[in-house]
Amino acid sequence: MILPPEFQDWFVRQGWQPHPHQLALLAAEGDSLLIAPTGGGKTLAGFLPSLVDLARVGRSQDGYLENGKGARTGLHTLYVSPLKALTADIGRNLARPVAELGLEIRVEDRTGDTGQGQRRRQRVDPPEILLTTPESLALMLSYPEAPAIFGGLRRVVLDELHALAESKRGDQLMLGLARLRRLAPGLRVTGLSATVEDPQALAGFMAGAALVTVVEADPGPDPDIAMLPTAKPAPWSGGGGHYAIPEVLEAVKGARTTIIFINTRAQAELFFQALWAENDENLPIGLHHGSLAREQRARVEAAMAAGELRAVVATGSLDLGIDWGAVDLVIQVGAPKNVKRLVQRIGRANHRYNAPSRARIVPANRFEQIECVAALEAVRERDLDGDRRGPGPLDVLCQHIGLTACAAPFDADALFAEVVTAGPYRGLSRADFDACLDFAATGGYALRAYDRWQRLVLRAGLWQLRDPRAAKLLRMNVGTIVEAEMMKVRLRGRGGAPLGEVEEAFAASLTHGDSFLIGGRVVRMDAMREMVIEVTPDPTRQPKIAVYSGVKLAMSTQLSHRVLALIGDPARHGALPAQTREWLDLQAQVSALPEPGLLLSESFPHAGLWHFALYGFAGRNALQTLGLLLTREMEDEGLGPLGFLSTDYALLVWSLDAVRDPAPLLDRARLRAGLGDWLGENAVMKRTFRNVATVAGLTQRNMPGQRKTGRQATFSSDILYDTLRKYDPGHLMLRITAEEAGRGLVDFGRIEEMLDRSPRREHRMLERVSPMAAPLLLEVGRVPIRGEGRERLAQIEAEALMAEAGLEGIA
Amino acid sequence: MNGYGFDFHGLRFEARASGALWWPEGAALIVADLHLGKSERMARRGGPLLPPYEGLATLERLAGEIAALDPQAVVSLGDGFDDMAATEALDPQVAGALRRLARGRDWIWIGGNHDPGAPAGLPGRAADSLPLGRVTLRHEAAEGPDVSGHFHPVVRLAGERRRAFLLGRDHLLLPAFGAYTGGLSHDDPALAALVPQGLAIACGARAIALPLGRRRRS
């Protein structure tokens, strides 16, 4: 297609010139994927082919749009976004061109917030353009009317595809897309994505084996990005970044609007508080993270949109979302852990195309200083990272099979043929598909069967629900987002305002009168009901700090390679701050520097115990797993391990006796053998199982009519995990759990990668703590209670340790 | 011994770490809320297809207690079965295990809200309640002093929810013994009304007593 004259006129009236990538997308035949930075008119590019198409079709006597052959068009374009807020925003943005171009079409959204009446009407009389989320799409596809609603669909626009592809929501969406392609042959799909490391892989995710036109927009000028210079050097350990508060405030003053990204919610709370403690000019600064109540977040977003805030302290909760044109500075506090995410965050600044984004980075400690330098180099070289996506997870497929049966009886061969057209499931084996079908139908138990009470039964060659009432339960549990067990926090009194939520485990550690930080204020706990904590504001107290859910993001494989290469090459140390340079020099003298190809470890006595430090650079999840496995082996060898800690860079184990030869401990076969039995009991596996069991539908988040009976009726998924391990260890859910943990929280793959890339092993027996291990020791014994006293104590301890390592005077 | 011994209205009891109550004088073992047949009932009603092994798991733990204590009488304090249909549809292996356990013992099924009648074809006799000295054994607490189940009480201890006995002046409440049972927090209004003050005895590797009704200091 080319841009019709009335559209050209419209662009001219706006004073715009269509971007080349907008025209390229319009011209593309078949599926297309647009990779463009924010502010590049990406959304309009996605909708332009639909609008041009809809402008060409005529209107029949009874008011319906029809194509040239006199058939009603009905639903023409489906837009899917990861955020409900985005669908509403897109709806508003589309209204203008639709009105100004005189297109008589309806644009409506359909999300979890859409009312029942509207939903019913949309099923009978869908709008021309429907804006929705992956979960709502899955729900719509589970209704018997799905073929009628989607039969005439021409186009699908998938927004923020890079973000969707990072989670199971993307897998579910791709299964839905495979269904749509079958219901509406000839469907054209357009993906919209921020900058990613491998556009072809994303295209394969979106389209499977089908051909995709990948359009890469001009990435614009290089970003203006650097470390934020600070008067005080970064501390040896810790993740707060508070030493840089004065400079951060200065930077905020010098910009119009700033987003300050912090990696975790707890750190965001603390940084926000510390910022306000020094905010003498009362600059309007807000706080935004995923554990704050929806009302609170909405208020901050509205204030941002209205230009009332000079800065907002945020976590990943603002990685996506509505474009705020006024943002002209991004500050990243703490190492970015991942180059791609850093680039995407930088892109949140300055949404005017062809103007450079401005960003400053604040490393939280010495190790992170090296990581930030390495990340900046990667950004300049446009060398993005990203861990390869695994195959489509089977728990999502289990859910999909159940929902398929809700829509209509199905043929297993036909469903398998459809599923393997979905990108993530290209390589799915028939055996795995059958295992998922068996799970959805019977529960898949080896020893006993629900012969009479199967969920799906085979009648006349078609699988269908035994009891149609089960459809309600399946639909109530659509989706792949599994929340941690959280407790709501609200102000005391009738109808007290909701403040947010905290993890249940944290709530359990609170007693009456304890105080903690939430939403930037200190509150005192007054009462705990079943799922609600009632609090009173109490700014005079020193808070405990809320421990939020969310696994800490591990440093990407590629970035850790860059960090290792930088440390191992003294010729490149000139790029590092002076104190960091001296630190590494001393390490080289006293022990050795880790470098690519070399796995360095050290044993040294400290405080009456032996310590074993392994500089694995494999990310915190993998090193945590290695810690669990190594301490078990040390136990077997009688070394008396007492504990360990892991960071992204290193593992530190303390024990009664010294590790003198780590080689047998690091034997791959031994480590792998330990995975099965040792980790099986681990909380990490139970947490992973909970997610898998919920997504697959073994346990249910929502039960009809069971809201009130509460906990008495429901029980923890840990019980199911233990039961399956004991009575049915080969069960599909346990297999999926092991695979998922192996990629995610357990990350054994990266332990193997570390062993593979390190043919040389070097173990140093030292007489005292090495310079590189010293900051690790400071992490020892850290408890989640932070206050001035603790900070001072940490300072004193830090100085003593540094002196012991011969480092005094460097800071 | 991993249990916790105490007196209740003239009777000496031991709260076992497993969640069972032991009355040494009468050699009686008392368990509440076995909920046998729960997974089958959920499947029958179109719910999730849970691992159908909870009957085996529950009876295996019960068998452990019976082997350790060799009781003359075993009392199920109601909701031994998840519903009456579950008594008929009981897995043959579970029914067999029940018969073996009941051999040579007086086995009493007190009726609960899930299983008001006597189980057909299974060993044991049915009763609405049972007197034990001045104390009544029944499913749901009523006029005290009584020993009952029904609520599946739990307490928080060291950041964990644990099944627990609640011991008050008038009422002694047992935790659920069944494998697939949730729990109701001891401070839920329904439980706080029955046992406003007293002790909670948490189950687990060993029975741990903690005070109830007084604010715990940090």
Side-chain angles (χ1 to χ4, degrees), chain B residues 79-90:
Chain B
D79 289 358
F81 300 92
D82 213 50
D83 65 359
M84 289 315 288
T87 65
E88 287 145 36
L90 202 61

Side-chain angles (χ1 to χ4, degrees), chain A residues 445 448 450 530 712 726 728, chain B residues 49-50 53 60 91 93:
Chain A
Y445 300 107
R448 319 195 120 51
Y450 290 110
E530 259 297 274
Q712 201 181 351
K726 181 159 181 199
D728 208 341
Chain B
L49 303 175
L50 298 178
Y53 308 117
E60 223 167 87
D91 183 279
Q93 208 178 334

Side-chain angles (χ1 to χ4, degrees), chain B residues 32-119:
Chain B
D33 299 282
L34 298 177
H35 284 275
L36 297 173
K38 178 159 186 150
S39 59
E40 189 264 354
R41 173 166 169 256
M42 291 187 83
R44 190 185 338 132
R45 301 170 123 212
L49 303 175
L50 298 178
Y53 308 117
E54 90 284 8
L56 290 178
T58 302
L59 291 186
E60 223 167 87
R61 286 194 301 121
L62 187 56
E65 289 295 72
I66 288 175
L69 301 166
D70 191 21
Q72 285 169 20
V74 176
V75 182
S76 161
L77 221 44
D79 289 358
F81 300 92
D82 213 50
D83 65 359
M84 289 315 288
T87 65
E88 287 145 36
L90 202 61
D91 183 279
Q93 208 178 334
V94 174
L98 256 184
R99 283 195 194 91
R100 276 194 301 282
L101 289 178
R103 201 166 294 147
R105 299 176 216 286
D106 188 10
W107 198 289
I108 300 148
W109 301 102
I110 288 179
N113 49 315
H114 284 255
D115 58 347

